[in-house]
Coordinates of all heavy atoms in Angstrom, one line a residue:
M1 N 26.1 -1.3 12.0 CA 25.9 0.1 11.8 C 25.4 0.4 10.3 O 24.4 1.1 10.2 CB 27.1 0.9 12.1 CG 26.9 2.3 12.2 SD 25.9 2.8 13.6 CE 26.5 4.4 13.8
I2 N 26.1 -0.1 9.4 CA 25.8 0.1 8.0 C 24.4 -0.6 7.7 O 23.6 -0.1 7.0 CB 26.9 -0.4 7.0 CG1 28.1 0.4 7.2 CG2 26.4 -0.4 5.6 CD1 29.4 -0.1 6.5
E3 N 24.3 -1.8 8.2 CA 23.0 -2.5 8.1 C 21.8 -1.7 8.6 O 20.8 -1.7 8.0 CB 23.1 -3.9 8.7 CG 21.9 -4.8 8.5 CD 21.8 -5.3 7.1 OE1 22.8 -5.4 6.4 OE2 20.7 -5.6 6.7
N4 N 22.0 -1.1 9.8 CA 21.0 -0.3 10.4 C 20.6 0.9 9.5 O 19.5 1.3 9.4 CB 21.4 0.2 11.8 CG 20.2 0.6 12.6 OD1 19.1 0.3 12.3 ND2 20.6 1.2 13.7
K5 N 21.6 1.5 8.8 CA 21.4 2.7 7.9 C 20.6 2.2 6.7 O 19.7 2.9 6.3 CB 22.7 3.3 7.5 CG 23.4 4.0 8.5 CD 22.9 5.4 8.7 CE 23.8 6.2 9.6 NZ 23.2 7.5 9.9
K6 N 20.9 1.0 6.2 CA 20.2 0.5 5.1 C 18.7 0.2 5.5 O 17.8 0.5 4.7 CB 20.8 -0.8 4.6 CG 22.1 -0.6 3.8 CD 22.6 -1.9 3.3 CE 23.9 -1.8 2.6 NZ 24.5 -3.0 2.2
L7 N 18.5 -0.3 6.7 CA 17.1 -0.6 7.1 C 16.4 0.7 7.4 O 15.1 0.8 7.1 CB 17.1 -1.5 8.3 CG 17.5 -2.9 8.1 CD1 17.6 -3.7 9.4 CD2 16.5 -3.6 7.2
Q8 N 17.0 1.8 7.8 CA 16.4 3.1 8.0 C 15.9 3.6 6.6 O 14.8 4.1 6.5 CB 17.3 4.1 8.7 CG 17.5 3.8 10.1 CD 18.4 4.8 10.8 OE1 19.2 5.5 10.1 NE2 18.4 4.9 12.1
K9 N 16.8 3.5 5.6 CA 16.4 4.0 4.3 C 15.2 3.1 3.7 O 14.3 3.6 3.1 CB 17.6 3.9 3.3 CG 18.6 5.0 3.6 CD 19.7 4.9 2.6 CE 20.8 6.0 2.9 NZ 21.9 5.9 2.0
L10 N 15.3 1.8 4.0 CA 14.3 0.9 3.6 C 12.9 1.2 4.2 O 11.9 1.1 3.6 CB 14.7 -0.5 3.8 CG 14.1 -1.6 3.0 CD1 14.3 -1.5 1.6 CD2 14.6 -3.0 3.5
S11 N 13.0 1.6 5.5 CA 11.8 1.9 6.2 C 11.1 3.2 5.7 O 9.9 3.3 5.6 CB 12.0 2.0 7.7 OG 12.8 3.0 8.1
V12 N 11.9 4.1 5.4 CA 11.4 5.4 4.8 C 10.8 5.1 3.4 O 9.7 5.6 3.1 CB 12.5 6.5 4.7 CG1 12.0 7.7 3.9 CG2 12.9 6.9 6.1
A13 N 11.4 4.2 2.7 CA 10.9 3.8 1.3 C 9.6 3.1 1.5 O 8.6 3.3 0.8 CB 11.9 3.0 0.6
A14 N 9.5 2.2 2.5 CA 8.3 1.5 2.8 C 7.1 2.5 3.1 O 6.0 2.3 2.7 CB 8.5 0.5 3.9
L15 N 7.4 3.5 3.9 CA 6.4 4.4 4.3 C 5.9 5.2 3.1 O 4.7 5.4 2.9 CB 6.9 5.4 5.4 CG 5.9 6.4 5.9 CD1 4.8 5.7 6.6 CD2 6.6 7.3 6.9
V16 N 6.9 5.6 2.2 CA 6.5 6.4 1.0 C 5.7 5.5 0.1 O 4.6 6.0 -0.4 CB 7.8 6.9 0.3 CG1 7.4 7.5 -1.0 CG2 8.4 8.0 1.2
V17 N 6.1 4.3 -0.1 CA 5.4 3.4 -1.0 C 4.0 3.1 -0.5 O 3.0 3.0 -1.2 CB 6.2 2.1 -1.3 CG1 5.4 1.1 -2.1 CG2 7.5 2.5 -2.1
S18 N 3.9 2.9 0.8 CA 2.6 2.6 1.4 C 1.6 3.8 1.3 O 0.4 3.6 1.4 CB 2.7 2.1 2.9 OG 3.2 3.2 3.7
A19 N 2.1 5.0 1.2 CA 1.3 6.2 1.0 C 0.9 6.5 -0.4 O 0.0 7.3 -0.7 CB 2.0 7.4 1.7
L20 N 1.6 5.9 -1.4 CA 1.3 6.2 -2.8 C -0.1 5.9 -3.2 O -0.6 6.6 -4.1 CB 2.3 5.4 -3.7 CG 3.7 6.0 -3.8 CD1 4.6 5.1 -4.6 CD2 3.6 7.4 -4.4
P21 N -0.8 4.8 -2.7 CA -2.2 4.6 -3.1 C -3.1 5.8 -2.8 O -4.2 5.9 -3.4 CB -2.6 3.4 -2.4 CG -1.4 2.6 -2.2 CD -0.3 3.7 -2.0
L22 N -2.7 6.7 -1.9 CA -3.5 7.9 -1.6 C -3.5 8.8 -2.8 O -4.4 9.7 -2.9 CB -3.0 8.6 -0.4 CG -3.2 7.8 0.9 CD1 -2.5 8.6 2.1 CD2 -4.7 7.7 1.2
A23 N -2.6 8.7 -3.7 CA -2.5 9.6 -4.9 C -3.7 9.3 -5.8 O -4.0 10.1 -6.7 CB -1.2 9.3 -5.7
T24 N -4.5 8.2 -5.6 CA -5.7 7.9 -6.3 C -6.7 9.0 -6.2 O -7.5 9.3 -7.1 CB -6.3 6.6 -5.9 OG1 -5.3 5.6 -6.0 CG2 -7.5 6.2 -6.7
F25 N -6.7 9.7 -5.0 CA -7.7 10.8 -4.8 C -7.4 12.1 -5.5 O -8.2 13.0 -5.5 CB -7.8 11.0 -3.2 CG -8.3 9.8 -2.5 CD1 -7.5 9.2 -1.6 CD2 -9.6 9.3 -2.8 CE1 -8.0 8.1 -0.9 CE2 -10.0 8.2 -2.1 CZ -9.3 7.6 -1.2
L26 N -6.1 12.2 -6.0 CA -5.8 13.5 -6.6 C -6.7 13.8 -7.8 O -7.1 15.0 -7.9 CB -4.3 13.5 -7.1 CG -3.3 13.6 -5.9 CD1 -1.9 13.5 -6.5 CD2 -3.5 14.9 -5.2
P27 N -6.9 12.9 -8.8 CA -7.8 13.3 -9.9 C -9.2 13.7 -9.4 O -9.8 14.6 -9.9 CB -7.9 12.0 -10.7 CG -6.7 11.3 -10.4 CD -6.4 11.6 -9.0
T28 N -9.7 13.1 -8.3 CA -11.0 13.4 -7.8 C -11.0 14.8 -7.2 O -11.9 15.6 -7.4 CB -11.4 12.4 -6.7 OG1 -11.4 11.1 -7.3 CG2 -12.8 12.7 -6.2
L29 N -9.9 15.1 -6.5 CA -9.8 16.5 -5.9 C -9.7 17.5 -6.9 O -10.2 18.7 -6.8 CB -8.7 16.5 -4.9 CG -8.8 15.7 -3.6 CD1 -7.5 15.7 -2.8 CD2 -10.0 16.2 -2.8
L30 N -9.0 17.2 -8.0 CA -8.8 18.2 -9.1 C -9.9 18.1 -10.1 O -9.8 18.8 -11.2 CB -7.4 17.9 -9.7 CG -6.2 18.0 -8.8 CD1 -4.9 17.6 -9.5 CD2 -6.1 19.4 -8.3
K31 N -10.9 17.3 -9.9 CA -12.0 17.2 -10.8 C -11.6 16.8 -12.2 O -12.0 17.3 -13.2 CB -12.8 18.4 -10.8 CG -13.5 18.8 -9.5 CD -14.4 19.9 -9.6 CE -14.9 20.4 -8.3 NZ -15.2 19.6 -7.2
I32 N -10.6 15.8 -12.3 CA -10.2 15.3 -13.6 C -10.8 13.9 -13.8 O -10.8 13.1 -12.9 CB -8.6 15.1 -13.5 CG1 -8.0 16.5 -13.4 CG2 -8.1 14.5 -14.8 CD1 -6.5 16.4 -13.1
T33 N -11.3 13.7 -15.0 CA -12.0 12.4 -15.3 C -10.9 11.6 -16.1 O -10.4 12.0 -17.1 CB -13.2 12.6 -16.2 OG1 -14.1 13.5 -15.5 CG2 -13.9 11.3 -16.4
L34 N -10.7 10.4 -15.6 CA -9.7 9.5 -16.2 C -10.5 8.4 -17.0 O -11.6 8.0 -16.7 CB -8.9 8.8 -15.1 CG -8.1 9.7 -14.2 CD1 -7.4 8.9 -13.2 CD2 -7.0 10.5 -15.0
S35 N -9.8 8.0 -18.1 CA -10.4 7.0 -18.9 C -10.4 5.6 -18.2 O -9.7 5.4 -17.2 CB -9.7 6.8 -20.3 OG -8.3 6.3 -20.0
E36 N -11.2 4.7 -18.7 CA -11.2 3.4 -18.1 C -9.9 2.7 -18.0 O -9.5 2.0 -17.0 CB -12.3 2.5 -18.8 CG -12.6 1.2 -18.1 CD -13.3 1.4 -16.8 OE1 -14.1 2.4 -16.6 OE2 -13.1 0.6 -15.9
G37 N -9.1 2.8 -19.1 CA -7.8 2.1 -19.2 C -6.9 2.7 -18.2 O -6.1 1.9 -17.5
V38 N -6.8 4.0 -18.0 CA -5.9 4.6 -17.0 C -6.3 4.2 -15.6 O -5.5 4.0 -14.8 CB -6.0 6.2 -17.2 CG1 -5.2 6.9 -16.1 CG2 -5.4 6.6 -18.6
R39 N -7.6 4.2 -15.4 CA -8.1 3.8 -14.0 C -7.7 2.3 -13.7 O -7.3 2.0 -12.6 CB -9.6 3.9 -13.9 CG -10.0 5.4 -13.7 CD -11.4 5.5 -13.4 NE -12.2 5.2 -14.6 CZ -13.5 5.4 -14.7 NH1 -14.2 5.8 -13.7 NH2 -14.1 5.0 -15.9
S40 N -7.8 1.5 -14.7 CA -7.4 0.1 -14.5 C -5.9 -0.1 -14.3 O -5.5 -0.8 -13.4 CB -7.8 -0.8 -15.8 OG -9.1 -0.8 -16.0
I41 N -5.1 0.7 -15.0 CA -3.6 0.6 -14.8 C -3.3 1.2 -13.4 O -2.5 0.6 -12.7 CB -2.9 1.4 -15.9 CG1 -3.1 0.7 -17.2 CG2 -1.5 1.7 -15.6 CD1 -2.6 1.5 -18.4
W42 N -4.0 2.3 -13.0 CA -3.8 2.9 -11.7 C -4.1 1.9 -10.6 O -3.4 1.8 -9.6 CB -4.6 4.2 -11.6 CG -4.0 5.1 -10.6 CD1 -3.4 4.8 -9.4 CD2 -4.0 6.5 -10.7 NE1 -3.0 6.0 -8.8 CE2 -3.4 7.0 -9.5 CE3 -4.6 7.4 -11.6 CZ2 -3.3 8.4 -9.2 CZ3 -4.4 8.8 -11.3 CH2 -3.8 9.3 -10.2
A43 N -5.2 1.2 -10.8 CA -5.7 0.2 -9.8 C -4.6 -0.9 -9.7 O -4.3 -1.3 -8.5 CB -7.0 -0.4 -10.1
G44 N -4.1 -1.4 -10.8 CA -3.1 -2.4 -10.7 C -1.8 -1.9 -10.1 O -1.2 -2.6 -9.3
A45 N -1.4 -0.7 -10.4 CA -0.3 -0.1 -9.8 C -0.4 0.1 -8.3 O 0.5 -0.2 -7.5 CB 0.0 1.3 -10.4
N46 N -1.7 0.4 -7.8 CA -1.9 0.5 -6.4 C -1.8 -0.8 -5.7 O -1.2 -0.9 -4.6 CB -3.3 1.1 -6.1 CG -3.4 2.6 -6.3 OD1 -2.4 3.3 -6.2 ND2 -4.6 3.1 -6.5
I47 N -2.2 -1.9 -6.3 CA -2.1 -3.2 -5.7 C -0.6 -3.6 -5.6 O -0.1 -4.1 -4.6 CB -2.8 -4.3 -6.6 CG1 -4.3 -4.0 -6.4 CG2 -2.5 -5.7 -6.1 CD1 -5.2 -4.8 -7.4
V48 N 0.2 -3.2 -6.6 CA 1.6 -3.5 -6.6 C 2.3 -2.7 -5.5 O 3.1 -3.2 -4.7 CB 2.3 -3.2 -8.0 CG1 3.8 -3.2 -7.9 CG2 1.8 -4.2 -9.0
F49 N 1.9 -1.4 -5.4 CA 2.5 -0.5 -4.3 C 2.2 -1.1 -2.9 O 3.0 -1.1 -2.1 CB 1.9 0.9 -4.4 CG 2.4 1.7 -5.6 CD1 1.5 2.6 -6.2 CD2 3.6 1.5 -6.1 CE1 1.9 3.4 -7.3 CE2 4.0 2.3 -7.2 CZ 3.2 3.2 -7.8
V50 N 1.0 -1.6 -2.8 CA 0.6 -2.1 -1.5 C 1.4 -3.4 -1.1 O 1.9 -3.5 0.0 CB -0.9 -2.4 -1.4 CG1 -1.3 -3.3 -0.2 CG2 -1.7 -1.2 -1.4
L51 N 1.5 -4.3 -2.1 CA 2.3 -5.5 -1.9 C 3.8 -5.2 -1.6 O 4.4 -5.8 -0.7 CB 2.1 -6.5 -3.0 CG 0.7 -7.0 -3.2 CD1 0.6 -7.9 -4.4 CD2 0.3 -7.8 -1.9
V52 N 4.4 -4.3 -2.4 CA 5.8 -3.9 -2.2 C 6.0 -3.3 -0.8 O 6.9 -3.6 -0.1 CB 6.2 -3.0 -3.3 CG1 7.6 -2.4 -3.0 CG2 6.3 -3.7 -4.6
A53 N 5.1 -2.4 -0.5 CA 5.2 -1.7 0.8 C 5.0 -2.7 2.0 O 5.8 -2.6 3.0 CB 4.1 -0.6 1.0
L54 N 4.1 -3.7 1.8 CA 4.0 -4.7 2.9 C 5.3 -5.5 3.0 O 5.7 -5.8 4.1 CB 2.8 -5.6 2.6 CG 2.5 -6.6 3.7 CD1 2.1 -5.9 5.0 CD2 1.4 -7.5 3.2
C55 N 5.8 -5.9 1.9 CA 7.1 -6.7 1.9 C 8.2 -5.9 2.6 O 9.0 -6.4 3.4 CB 7.5 -7.1 0.5 SG 6.4 -8.4 -0.2
L56 N 8.4 -4.6 2.1 CA 9.4 -3.8 2.7 C 9.2 -3.6 4.2 O 10.2 -3.6 5.0 CB 9.5 -2.4 2.0 CG 10.0 -2.4 0.6 CD1 9.9 -1.0 0.0 CD2 11.4 -2.9 0.5
S57 N 8.0 -3.4 4.6 CA 7.7 -3.1 6.0 C 8.0 -4.4 6.9 O 8.5 -4.3 8.0 CB 6.2 -2.8 6.2 OG 5.9 -1.6 5.5
V58 N 7.6 -5.5 6.3 CA 7.9 -6.8 7.1 C 9.4 -7.0 7.2 O 9.9 -7.4 8.3 CB 7.2 -8.0 6.4 CG1 7.6 -9.3 6.9 CG2 5.7 -7.8 6.6
I59 N 10.1 -6.7 6.2 CA 11.6 -6.9 6.2 C 12.2 -6.0 7.3 O 13.0 -6.4 8.1 CB 12.2 -6.5 4.8 CG1 11.9 -7.6 3.8 CG2 13.7 -6.3 5.0 CD1 12.3 -7.3 2.4
C60 N 11.7 -4.7 7.4 CA 12.2 -3.8 8.4 C 11.8 -4.2 9.8 O 12.5 -4.0 10.8 CB 11.7 -2.4 8.1 SG 12.4 -1.7 6.6
V61 N 10.5 -4.6 10.0 CA 10.0 -4.9 11.3 C 10.5 -6.2 11.9 O 10.6 -6.4 13.1 CB 8.5 -4.9 11.3 CG1 7.9 -5.4 12.6 CG2 8.0 -3.5 11.0
R62 N 10.9 -7.1 11.0 CA 11.4 -8.4 11.4 C 12.6 -8.4 12.4 O 12.6 -9.1 13.3 CB 11.8 -9.2 10.2 CG 11.4 -10.6 10.2 CD 11.7 -11.4 8.9 NE 12.9 -10.8 8.2 CZ 13.4 -11.3 7.1 NH1 12.8 -12.3 6.6 NH2 14.4 -10.8 6.5
S63 N 13.5 -7.5 12.2 CA 14.6 -7.3 13.0 C 14.3 -6.4 14.2 O 13.8 -5.3 14.0 CB 15.8 -6.7 12.2 OG 16.8 -6.4 13.1
S64 N 14.5 -6.9 15.4 CA 14.0 -6.2 16.6 C 14.8 -4.9 16.8 O 14.3 -3.9 17.3 CB 14.1 -7.1 17.8 OG 15.5 -7.5 18.0
E65 N 16.1 -4.9 16.4 CA 16.9 -3.7 16.6 C 16.6 -2.6 15.6 O 16.9 -1.4 15.8 CB 18.4 -3.9 16.6 CG 18.9 -4.4 15.3 CD 19.2 -5.9 15.2 OE1 18.9 -6.6 16.2 OE2 19.6 -6.3 14.1
S66 N 15.9 -2.9 14.5 CA 15.6 -1.9 13.5 C 14.1 -1.4 13.6 O 13.7 -0.6 12.9 CB 15.8 -2.5 12.1 OG 14.9 -3.4 11.8
R67 N 13.4 -2.0 14.6 CA 12.0 -1.6 14.8 C 11.9 -0.1 15.2 O 12.6 0.3 16.2 CB 11.3 -2.5 15.8 CG 10.3 -3.4 15.2 CD 9.7 -4.3 16.2 NE 9.9 -5.7 15.7 CZ 10.1 -6.7 16.4 NH1 10.1 -6.6 17.7 NH2 10.3 -7.9 15.9
S68 N 11.1 0.6 14.5 CA 10.9 2.0 14.9 C 9.5 2.4 14.7 O 8.7 1.6 14.1 CB 11.9 2.9 14.1 OG 11.5 3.0 12.8
A69 N 9.1 3.6 15.0 CA 7.8 4.1 14.8 C 7.5 4.2 13.3 O 6.3 3.8 12.9 CB 7.6 5.5 15.4
V70 N 8.4 4.5 12.5 CA 8.2 4.6 11.0 C 7.9 3.2 10.5 O 7.0 3.1 9.7 CB 9.4 5.2 10.3 CG1 9.3 5.1 8.8 CG2 9.7 6.6 10.8
N71 N 8.6 2.2 11.0 CA 8.4 0.8 10.5 C 7.0 0.4 10.9 O 6.3 -0.3 10.1 CB 9.4 -0.1 11.1 CG 10.8 0.1 10.5 OD1 11.0 0.7 9.5 ND2 11.8 -0.3 11.3
I72 N 6.6 0.6 12.1 CA 5.4 0.2 12.6 C 4.2 0.9 11.9 O 3.2 0.3 11.5 CB 5.3 0.3 14.2 CG1 6.3 -0.6 14.8 CG2 3.9 0.1 14.7 CD1 6.5 -0.3 16.3
I73 N 4.4 2.2 11.7 CA 3.3 2.9 11.0 C 3.2 2.4 9.5 O 2.1 2.2 9.0 CB 3.6 4.4 11.0 CG1 3.4 5.0 12.4 CG2 2.8 5.2 10.0 CD1 4.0 6.4 12.6
S74 N 4.3 2.2 8.8 CA 4.2 1.7 7.4 C 3.6 0.3 7.4 O 2.9 0.0 6.5 CB 5.6 1.8 6.8 OG 6.5 0.9 7.4
T75 N 3.9 -0.5 8.4 CA 3.3 -1.8 8.4 C 1.8 -1.7 8.6 O 1.0 -2.4 8.0 CB 4.0 -2.7 9.5 OG1 5.4 -2.7 9.3 CG2 3.4 -4.1 9.5
A76 N 1.4 -0.9 9.5 CA 0.0 -0.7 9.8 C -0.8 -0.2 8.6 O -1.9 -0.7 8.3 CB -0.2 0.2 11.0
I77 N -0.2 0.8 7.9 CA -0.8 1.3 6.7 C -0.9 0.2 5.6 O -1.9 0.1 5.0 CB 0.0 2.5 6.2 CG1 -0.1 3.7 7.1 CG2 -0.5 2.9 4.8 CD1 0.8 4.9 6.8
S78 N 0.2 -0.5 5.5 CA 0.2 -1.6 4.5 C -0.9 -2.7 4.8 O -1.6 -3.2 3.9 CB 1.6 -2.2 4.4 OG 2.5 -1.3 4.0
V79 N -1.0 -3.1 6.0 CA -2.0 -4.1 6.4 C -3.4 -3.5 6.2 O -4.2 -4.2 5.7 CB -1.7 -4.5 7.9 CG1 -2.9 -5.3 8.4 CG2 -0.5 -5.3 8.0
F80 N -3.6 -2.2 6.5 CA -4.9 -1.6 6.2 C -5.2 -1.7 4.7 O -6.3 -2.1 4.4 CB -4.9 -0.2 6.7 CG -6.1 0.6 6.2 CD1 -7.3 0.5 6.8 CD2 -5.9 1.5 5.1 CE1 -8.4 1.2 6.3 CE2 -7.0 2.3 4.7 CZ -8.3 2.1 5.3
W81 N -4.3 -1.4 3.9 CA -4.5 -1.4 2.4 C -4.8 -2.9 2.0 O -5.7 -3.1 1.1 CB -3.4 -0.9 1.6 CG -3.2 0.6 1.7 CD1 -2.1 1.3 2.0 CD2 -4.1 1.6 1.3 NE1 -2.3 2.6 1.9 CE2 -3.5 2.9 1.5 CE3 -5.5 1.6 0.9 CZ2 -4.2 4.1 1.2 CZ3 -6.1 2.8 0.6 CH2 -5.5 4.0 0.8
V82 N -4.0 -3.8 2.5 CA -4.3 -5.2 2.1 C -5.6 -5.7 2.6 O -6.4 -6.4 1.8 CB -3.2 -6.2 2.7 CG1 -3.5 -7.6 2.6 CG2 -1.8 -5.9 2.1
L83 N -6.0 -5.3 3.8 CA -7.4 -5.7 4.2 C -8.5 -5.1 3.4 O -9.5 -5.7 3.1 CB -7.6 -5.3 5.7 CG -6.8 -6.2 6.7 CD1 -6.9 -5.6 8.1 CD2 -7.2 -7.6 6.6
M84 N -8.3 -3.8 3.0 CA -9.2 -3.2 2.1 C -9.3 -3.9 0.8 O -10.4 -4.1 0.3 CB -8.9 -1.7 1.9 CG -9.9 -0.9 1.2 SD -9.6 0.8 1.1 CE -9.8 1.3 2.8
I85 N -8.2 -4.2 0.2 CA -8.2 -4.9 -1.1 C -8.9 -6.3 -1.0 O -9.7 -6.6 -1.8 CB -6.8 -5.1 -1.7 CG1 -6.2 -3.7 -2.1 CG2 -6.7 -6.0 -2.8 CD1 -4.8 -3.7 -2.4
V86 N -8.6 -7.0 0.1 CA -9.3 -8.3 0.3 C -10.8 -8.1 0.5 O -11.6 -8.9 -0.1 CB -8.6 -9.0 1.5 CG1 -9.4 -10.3 1.9 CG2 -7.2 -9.4 1.1
G87 N -11.1 -7.1 1.2 CA -12.6 -6.8 1.4 C -13.3 -6.5 0.1 O -14.4 -7.0 -0.1
I88 N -12.7 -5.7 -0.7 CA -13.3 -5.4 -2.0 C -13.4 -6.6 -2.9 O -14.4 -6.8 -3.5 CB -12.4 -4.3 -2.7 CG1 -12.6 -3.0 -2.0 CG2 -12.9 -4.1 -4.2 CD1 -11.6 -1.9 -2.4
V89 N -12.4 -7.5 -2.9 CA -12.4 -8.7 -3.7 C -13.5 -9.6 -3.2 O -14.3 -10.2 -3.9 CB -11.1 -9.4 -3.7 CG1 -11.2 -10.8 -4.3 CG2 -10.1 -8.6 -4.5
V90 N -13.6 -9.8 -1.9 CA -14.7 -10.6 -1.3 C -16.1 -10.1 -1.6 O -17.0 -10.8 -1.9 CB -14.4 -10.8 0.3 CG1 -15.6 -11.4 0.9 CG2 -13.2 -11.6 0.5
L91 N -16.2 -8.8 -1.5 CA -17.5 -8.2 -1.8 C -17.9 -8.4 -3.2 O -19.0 -8.7 -3.6 CB -17.5 -6.7 -1.4 CG -18.8 -5.9 -1.7 CD1 -19.9 -6.4 -0.8 CD2 -18.5 -4.4 -1.4
A92 N -16.9 -8.2 -4.1 CA -17.2 -8.4 -5.6 C -17.6 -9.8 -5.8 O -18.5 -10.1 -6.6 CB -15.9 -8.0 -6.4
L93 N -16.9 -10.8 -5.2 CA -17.2 -12.2 -5.4 C -18.6 -12.5 -4.8 O -19.4 -13.2 -5.5 CB -16.2 -13.1 -4.8 CG -14.8 -13.2 -5.4 CD1 -13.9 -14.0 -4.6 CD2 -15.0 -13.8 -6.8
F94 N -18.9 -11.9 -3.7 CA -20.2 -12.1 -3.1 C -21.4 -11.6 -4.0 O -22.4 -12.2 -4.2 CB -20.3 -11.5 -1.7 CG -21.5 -11.6 -1.0 CD1 -22.0 -12.8 -0.5 CD2 -22.4 -10.5 -0.8 CE1 -23.2 -13.0 0.2 CE2 -23.6 -10.6 -0.1 CZ -24.0 -11.9 0.4
L95 N -21.1 -10.4 -4.5 CA -22.2 -9.8 -5.3 C -22.3 -10.5 -6.6 O -23.4 -10.6 -7.2 CB -21.8 -8.3 -5.6 CG -21.9 -7.4 -4.4 CD1 -21.5 -6.0 -4.7 CD2 -23.3 -7.4 -3.8
N96 N -21.2 -11.1 -7.2 CA -21.3 -11.9 -8.4 C -22.2 -13.2 -8.1 O -22.9 -13.6 -9.0 CB -20.0 -12.3 -8.9 CG -19.4 -11.3 -9.9 OD1 -20.2 -10.4 -10.4 ND2 -18.2 -11.3 -10.2
F97 N -22.0 -13.8 -7.0 CA -22.7 -15.0 -6.7 C -24.2 -14.7 -6.4 O -25.1 -15.5 -6.6 CB -22.2 -15.7 -5.5 CG -20.9 -16.5 -5.8 CD1 -19.8 -16.3 -5.0 CD2 -20.8 -17.4 -6.9 CE1 -18.6 -17.0 -5.3 CE2 -19.7 -18.0 -7.2 CZ -18.6 -17.8 -6.4
L98 N -24.5 -13.5 -6.0 CA -25.9 -13.1 -5.8 C -26.7 -12.9 -7.1 O -27.9 -13.2 -7.1 CB -26.0 -11.8 -5.0 CG -25.8 -11.9 -3.5 CD1 -26.0 -10.5 -2.8 CD2 -26.7 -12.9 -2.8
Q99 N -26.0 -12.5 -8.1 CA -26.6 -12.3 -9.4 C -26.7 -13.6 -10.1 O -26.8 -14.4 -10.6 CB -25.8 -11.3 -10.3 CG -25.9 -10.0 -9.7 CD -25.0 -9.0 -10.5 OE1 -24.4 -9.4 -11.5 NE2 -25.0 -7.8 -10.1

């Protein structure tokens, strides 16, 4: 019972952390220009958020009794972010090799 409560809190944390990379759009919506350094730090933080959310989601989904819609949604969002990051890296490497 206590373990299930911990996993529920962990699943909510995974969902929140997996949604944090969406905060990248806030400066664009507010028409705020960020310096190159801030954008680099923000990009690194987004990568960390994605990896942490994926780890938390996998921990929650691994146990069949703790699987819920929140866990599955956070896992799907995290996998989407990971695939997007891998796609960007592959595209950057491909474009570097073309030049």
